[in-house]
Amino acid sequence: MNDNKYLTFITDEHLFFCIGNLHSAYLKAKSNVTKKNFYSNKVDTLKLTFDAKFNGIDEENLIQAEILRQIDKSFNNSIGTFHEQILGGINGFEIGNLSGFDIKAKDDTLFADIKNKHNTMNSSSAESLFQKLARYADTYKQSKCYWVQILAKGSFNERWTGEINGKEYSHSRVFKISGDQFYALLTGQEDALYQLYKVLPLAIEDYLSSLNQQVASTKNSALDEIKSETIVSERSILDQITFENYGYYFGFDKL
């Protein structure tokens, strides 16, 4: 494989490695949605009734959409890991491997904690993140320490200062930075994140076609399990789910 068909700042092999990890996480999330897992948090069938009627969606498509929403929720966490792995493949940098930081410069001049979205932290987690970055900055006097927001509400690279939980925080070498500027900082290429975005469709297609044995389309079993029970019970899909989730509530045993 040519080392740099897709991007100049990481090898094609590393890009495929990152895509492959994400693909595995997706297949795992998809296959994990059994009926038991689907029911584990209790399905809000009253809300689903409104969804079905207000949106004119039939029950089967509605439940399929709800299952996909659950898959999406567990898959979301893997996207942050994808960015860590991509950035850790840039020359001079490495991923933290549960060392308390997500990305560091090999010469200890940079430490970073990566959040996929700007709004994933409450005030107490923001406070502990600031304190952690400040500790790294104090330990490694030549370092700059970053809170990275891959999907931020602007493009910025600035000192992280302000009041968190009623206490004022600032440190001369603790920063917050948007995804585009962090990619630019590590690669030396201003539009590095844009480059990644542009090559991903082709790289993903190439990765999928390079799989030695075609991965059988992994199906989640929840809907099939529920539908097989409706054949016996003669309930609608929604009634079956409601009965299995709330059959112990007054009156619901009549479904």
Side-chain angles (χ1 to χ4, degrees):
M1 188 191 288
N2 180 323
D3 258 9
N4 289 98
K5 172 182 171 184
Y6 305 102
L7 295 163
T8 57
F9 52 87
I10 54 169
T11 64
D12 294 352
E13 186 184 3
H14 185 72
L15 180 59
F16 271 28
F17 165 77
C18 298
I19 291 170
N21 283 343
L22 203 53
H23 185 234
S24 299
Y26 184 75
L27 292 178
K28 184 165 182 270
K30 206 171 170 186
S31 64
N32 266 355
V33 185
T34 59
K35 187 186 80 170
K36 183 174 178 235
N37 291 344
F38 181 51
Y39 287 172
S40 63
N41 288 326
K42 290 290 167 195
V43 182
D44 188 345
T45 48
L46 283 171
K47 177 188 173 293
L48 290 177
T49 302
F50 284 115
D51 288 344
K53 296 301 180 191
F54 288 171
N55 293 314
I57 304 172
D58 69 65
E59 289 189 354
E60 187 167 333
N61 284 329
L62 182 75
I63 303 309
Q64 191 60 51
E66 183 64 14
I67 290 167
L68 285 172
R69 193 187 64 77
Q70 284 200 10
I71 292 170
D72 188 57
K73 211 169 157 190
S74 62
F75 181 60
N76 264 340
N77 300 330
S78 305
I79 300 290
T81 306
F82 172 76
H83 286 288
E84 287 169 33
Q85 291 175 339
I86 289 282
L87 293 159
I90 296 167
N91 197 23
F93 298 92
E94 60 190 19
I95 59 173
N97 286 328
L98 307 176
S99 309
F101 52 84
D102 294 326
I103 293 288
K104 74 180 279 280
K106 288 179 179 173
D107 63 3
D108 294 333
T109 56
L110 176 146
F111 293 89
D113 195 283
I114 293 174
K115 306 292 180 203
N116 194 41
K117 290 190 176 170
H118 64 91
N119 59 352
T120 48
M121 293 196 298
N122 59 27
S123 59
S124 59
S125 52
E127 185 174 28
S128 63
L129 176 57
F130 191 101
Q131 290 166 343
K132 182 174 79 172
L133 293 175
R135 277 197 303 276
Y136 279 118
D138 288 338
T139 306
Y140 300 93
K141 302 294 185 193
Q142 306 305 310
S143 70
K144 289 184 175 179
C145 300
Y146 294 89
W147 165 27
V148 183
Q149 303 168 25
I150 296 293
L151 305 178
K153 290 182 86 170
S155 178
F156 52 83
N157 177 4
E158 61 196 37
R159 277 186 56 206
W160 182 9
T161 61
E163 196 174 283
I164 313 171
N165 278 345
K167 295 193 279 290
E168 205 167 303
Y169 282 98
S170 76
H171 191 293
S172 61
R173 287 177 287 106
V174 172
F175 299 85
K176 58 180 180 178
I177 187 169
S178 56
D180 64 327
Q181 295 222 24
F182 193 65
Y183 266 83
L185 182 68
L186 267 56
T187 61
Q189 299 177 33
E190 194 174 71
D191 64 345
L193 183 56
Y194 173 74
Q195 291 177 41
L196 174 64
Y197 170 76
K198 289 297 283 181
V199 303
L200 268 182
L202 174 63
I204 293 167
E205 280 175 24
D206 289 351
Y207 166 77
L208 291 174
S209 62
S210 78
L211 293 177
N212 294 336
Q213 75 277 18
Q214 204 48 46
V215 178
S217 176
T218 308
K219 283 186 72 178
N220 53 70
S221 60
L223 188 56
D224 291 338
E225 289 176 63
I226 295 161
K227 279 166 69 181
S228 70
E229 277 149 5
T230 62
I231 295 166
V232 179
S233 69
E234 297 185 342
R235 296 184 185 102
S236 70
I237 290 174
L238 208 50
D239 278 352
Q240 183 68 32
I241 293 170
T242 305
F243 177 76
E244 292 193 55
N245 277 265
Y246 304 102
Y248 46 79
Y249 272 18
F250 293 146
F252 282 70
D253 58 333
K254 299 186 184 77
L255 281 170

